[in-house]
Amino acid sequence: MNIKIAASAAACALAFSSAVLAQAPAAPPAWKQGMGDKFKDSPLAPNAAKNTETPASEIPIDKFKVPKGFKIEVWASGMPGARAMVRGDKGKIYIGTRGIGRVYEVTDAGDKRTNRVLVDKLTQPSGVAIMGSTLYVMAIDKVLRYDDVENKPDAMPEDITAKFNLPPEQHHNWKYLAFGPDKKLYVPFGAPCNICEPSEQYAQIRRYNPDGSGMEVIAKGVRNTQGFDWHPKTGELWFTDHGRDWLGDDGPEDELNRITKTGLNFGYPYCHAAGVVDPDVTKADKKATACKDVTKPVALMGPHTAVMGVKFYTGDMFPAAYKNTMFIARKGSWNRTQKLGYDVLHAVPSADGKSVKMTPFLTGFLDAKENKFLGRPAYLMQMPDGALLVSDEQLGAIYRISYSGAPAKK
Amino acid sequence: MLIAFFAPCLSFVAAAQTATAPPEAQACVTCHGPDGNSVTPNVPSLAGQPRVYLENTLVLTREGLRGNPVMQGLMKGKKDVQIVAIAKHFAALPVRPPAPTADKALQKRGRDLAGKLRCASCHDKTFRGREQMPRLAEQREEFLEARMTVMRDKPPPGTDTIMNATLHGVSNEDLKALAHFLSQLR
């Protein structure tokens, strides 16, 4: 007991010994730069993450709707904050998270799944990518490589952070990662604010050789992309991008973009969506030209919908019409009075790639009447049998969507 | 011995007509106060904090991502259900405000700043917090000031980056005024 009290006192002292540093005056806070006066009394705030496990029995799977002939089931659960998923050659699945600082490993035993924490205590390790059995994990300030991860459960990772030259700002610099068809690692660097003129390390997509060498900036003016994939036929990179906050409920909309060549400018911070000139950072004499030479999105994805993962479907399980078309997850809005998104869309690109036709695919997460959400679909992954996995960041679950053509059982 | 030590605390809680602390929460009262209202400098009150804020914070404490070593030790190995029970307990306890002080000028400065910086859009117009946004009203003043200072200067891992962004460039004097205003809010 005495020990406990002594420890208490020490801890209390320790917690507050942090030095008070002098501060230079600076710009308004990142998230509310550009928060107009009409939002003065707005009660809008980011949605709370859920850090505790949600048991499978508490997931309202019956409320989630898929088109006729498809079926959705809870495939794995108990992984708070689950985001992007990658699958190794041997079938193990690795899942990144943000706040909770973990990367999960899921082992599929056919009829059931088990999971464990591969690594924890990282600062927002949302980026995961795998090449064979070599796993790459990227946190805001760290890059780790796990060689032969599926066979060596206790192997220590190689810390390859130094090679990547990561900039210091945290906001919007949590990662989505993927290897391209060129076997290079594609990494986004978001704008460290809601709206600002970021320094040249930010608001872009880069690619690297897997060891961190050979860095190239391949796209600029990208505010915050949290998902991309390559068209199976054309090899072009398609990416989603979040529009800025605090310009009202109806815009600027989130985006779906296509990279036809490297070096394109996608508009941030001066030109949003299909040509919305930013009222806060664009100087008066630049307004007329703010959208000049800016590559416009292929599609607008709805205002504040937080469009996340995008995946081209190449499997054989779904009807043929789904081949080489996209699934796109929208995690759902916070900066909007009436919530929007919280679904997965099916998007069919036109032959020239200049437009897409979109229809809802997975719905039921949003209760529009109550203005409440049940879950937040975030990322997509195709399994070898052609089934589609969807991660739900809010409920820490993975759903499996399969197709048999049979009508759903009542 | 433990029981003997905690007995007075438990009877205090009963006297305040509040729910009995679950066993997991009993080690917390040494620092955070028997009824969740801290009387120890630099230790925050937990009474009346939003349940989600407590849950999420305690998970991150268990993960070793935030909090101090003593709390990390206490939370180590705790199951989510136990964390939910602790959070529910403290969230439901009534708040006992700190003693009133009368620095009207500092209060006004803090109130004006909070309005200008729109703190209420997240922490609720009552500043009693909601969801993942903690209660600030009636919290211990020196705690608020110190916490804002670290969130502004070097947010520890596991801290939501939103507060770092929010306090960017706010001076030490202004943090003092904000802490005073919030702590004295009734």
Side-chain angles (χ1 to χ4, degrees):
Chain A
M1 197 176 80
N2 283 332
I3 293 168
K4 189 179 247 156
I5 288 171
S8 306
C12 298
L14 179 144
F16 286 97
S17 58
S18 58
V20 176
L21 303 172
Q23 281 283 299
W31 70 270
K32 76 165 105 64
Q33 284 151 349
M35 182 171 170
D37 250 5
K38 67 176 160 171
F39 291 104
K40 205 159 83 75
D41 299 314
S42 159
L44 294 177
N47 296 320
K50 187 167 186 284
N51 284 346
T52 49
E53 285 177 27
T54 307
S57 59
E58 286 174 20
I59 296 172
I61 191 75
D62 291 344
K63 295 238 158 70
F64 304 157
K65 302 285 176 250
V66 282
K68 229 167 98 187
F70 289 88
K71 179 181 140 191
I72 182 164
E73 63 202 305
V74 177
W75 190 75
S77 62
M79 295 176 283
R83 286 172 66 98
M85 306 161 274
V86 292
R87 187 173 183 278
D89 278 352
K90 300 238 158 62
K92 292 219 159 120
I93 288 169
Y94 298 90
I95 305 171
T97 65
R98 281 185 50 197
I100 200 166
R102 298 172 174 170
V103 174
Y104 300 103
E105 179 188 74
V106 174
T107 303
D108 182 6
D111 56 340
K112 65 176 202 296
R113 262 65 50 193
T114 54
N115 72 68
R116 67 174 187 118
V117 175
L118 174 76
V119 53
D120 59 7
K121 299 186 176 44
L122 297 176
T123 305
Q124 307 207 24
S126 53
V128 287
I130 203 158
M131 179 74 93
S133 267
T134 305
L135 176 72
Y136 292 77
V137 172
M138 202 176 286
I140 289 178
D141 55 354
K142 214 178 231 18
V143 191
L144 301 175
R145 192 190 71 222
Y146 290 81
D147 295 321
D148 202 14
V149 63
E150 292 177 282
N151 290 319
K152 296 192 183 140
D154 301 323
M156 290 302 287
E158 197 73 35
D159 187 331
I160 55 172
T161 311
K163 298 291 270 306
F164 284 81
N165 198 16
L166 302 175
E169 299 277 4
Q170 294 199 10
H171 201 65
H172 287 161
N173 274 271
W174 46 89
K175 304 299 183 202
Y176 174 76
L177 286 189
F179 280 107
D182 53 6
K183 304 223 164 19
K184 288 186 187 252
L185 192 58
Y186 284 68
V187 191
F189 292 81
C193 54
N194 171 34
I195 187 75
C196 61
E197 295 179 287
S199 69
E200 63 178 26
Q201 299 154 287
Y202 301 102
Q204 58 193 235
I205 302 174
R206 306 181 192 173
R207 70 178 164 213
Y208 294 86
N209 295 322
D211 66 358
S213 65
M215 191 279 277
E216 284 170 88
V217 176
I218 62 150
K220 291 186 177 166
V222 180
R223 180 177 177 273
N224 179 26
T225 176
Q226 288 295 322
F228 37 81
D229 196 15
W230 288 262
H231 190 290
K233 286 273 175 351
T234 67
E236 286 172 343
L237 178 64
W238 291 63
F239 69 91
T240 61
D241 195 13
H242 292 194
R244 63 158 291 187
D245 299 322
W246 302 116
L247 278 189
D249 278 359
D250 297 325
E253 296 195 35
D254 284 10
E255 305 172 2
L256 176 67
N257 293 293
R258 180 171 68 110
I259 297 186
T260 50
K261 58 174 188 221
T262 60
L264 295 176
N265 170 17
F266 289 88
Y268 185 87
Y270 309 108
C271 179
H272 310 290
V276 177
V277 175
D278 193 273
D280 294 318
V281 296
T282 316
K283 296 189 182 65
D285 61 335
K286 294 269 163 45
K287 295 221 154 114
T289 53
C291 290
K292 200 172 161 271
D293 301 325
V294 166
T295 303
K296 303 280 161 47
V298 176
L300 297 176
M301 304 302 294
H304 311 293
T305 52
V307 59
M308 305 288 297
V310 48
K311 263 294 168 235
F312 281 94
Y313 186 78
T314 57
D316 293 323
M317 179 192 274
F318 293 4
Y322 284 87
K323 227 175 194 151
N324 301 334
T325 66
M326 277 168 278
F327 291 104
I328 303 175
R330 301 191 300 175
K331 205 172 96 166
S333 65
W334 67 264
N335 195 241
R336 189 173 202 279
T337 313
Q338 182 68 41
K339 291 193 184 343
L340 193 67
Y342 303 90
D343 55 12
V344 174
L345 303 176
H346 176 224
V348 182
S350 60
D352 62 6
K354 287 184 179 159
S355 65
V356 294
K357 254 209 193 100
M358 289 187 283
T359 44
F361 181 73
L362 170 59
T363 58
F365 292 80
L366 177 63
D367 180 341
K369 222 165 98 205
E370 296 285 321
N371 206 21
K372 281 204 169 113
F373 62 88
L374 302 175
R376 307 190 81 183
Y379 285 96
L380 311 153
M381 191 179 74
Q382 187 186 309
M383 291 290 274
D385 66 357
L388 186 72
L389 298 188
V390 181
S391 65
D392 181 332
E393 187 175 4
Q394 194 71 21
L395 300 183
I398 312 289
Y399 312 123
R400 177 177 183 268
I401 299 178
S402 54
Y403 181 81
S404 65
K409 274 196 222 96
K410 274 273 163 246
Chain B
M1 189 159 125
L2 266 178
I3 291 165
F5 176 69
F6 283 113
C9 311
L10 289 173
S11 56
F12 188 103
V13 171
Q17 293 201 320
T18 49
T20 313
E24 298 88 353
Q26 293 185 0
C28 318
V29 301
T30 25
C31 292
H32 288 285
D35 60 352
N37 288 288
S38 162
V39 291
T40 313
N42 298 327
V43 178
S45 292
L46 304 179
Q49 280 292 5
R51 186 181 48 80
V52 174
Y53 175 68
L54 292 173
E55 270 177 25
N56 286 0
T57 299
L58 292 173
V59 169
L60 297 175
T61 307
R62 176 191 66 198
E63 300 293 309
L65 282 169
R66 68 194 283 169
N68 57 58
V70 176
M71 284 197 301
Q72 289 175 357
L74 288 171
M75 295 310 296
K76 199 169 175 180
K78 288 270 186 298
K79 297 265 182 295
D80 283 1
V81 286
Q82 295 174 291
I83 288 179
V84 171
I86 298 174
K88 209 171 135 197
H89 169 70
F90 285 114
L93 293 178
V95 180
R96 270 194 298 127
T101 51
D103 194 335
K104 288 269 182 315
L106 200 56
Q107 257 170 285
K108 179 175 182 324
R109 179 169 169 183
R111 183 183 311 113
D112 291 350
L113 267 167
K116 208 176 90 202
L117 297 170
R118 290 165 196 154
C119 313
S121 87
C122 289
H123 289 276
D124 193 84
K125 58 181 189 298
T126 62
F127 290 98
R128 294 182 165 270
R130 57 189 174 116
E131 299 279 304
Q132 84 279 28
M133 275 100 31
R135 175 175 64 83
L136 308 174
E138 300 174 307
Q139 183 55 278
R140 292 190 66 90
E141 184 171 337
E142 80 291 340
F143 166 76
L144 289 175
E145 188 185 342
R147 179 96 177 117
M148 285 190 281
T149 308
V150 295
M151 288 191 301
R152 179 194 65 188
D153 297 339
K154 198 174 187 313
T159 310
D160 193 328
T161 60
I162 212 98
M163 275 308 298
N164 175 243
T166 301
L167 295 174
H168 193 67
V170 178
S171 73
N172 290 340
E173 284 310 305
D174 284 346
L175 290 188
K176 217 183 248 322
L178 283 168
H180 185 70
F181 158 67
L182 293 165
S183 176
Q184 287 298 316
L185 203 63
R186 297 291 182 270

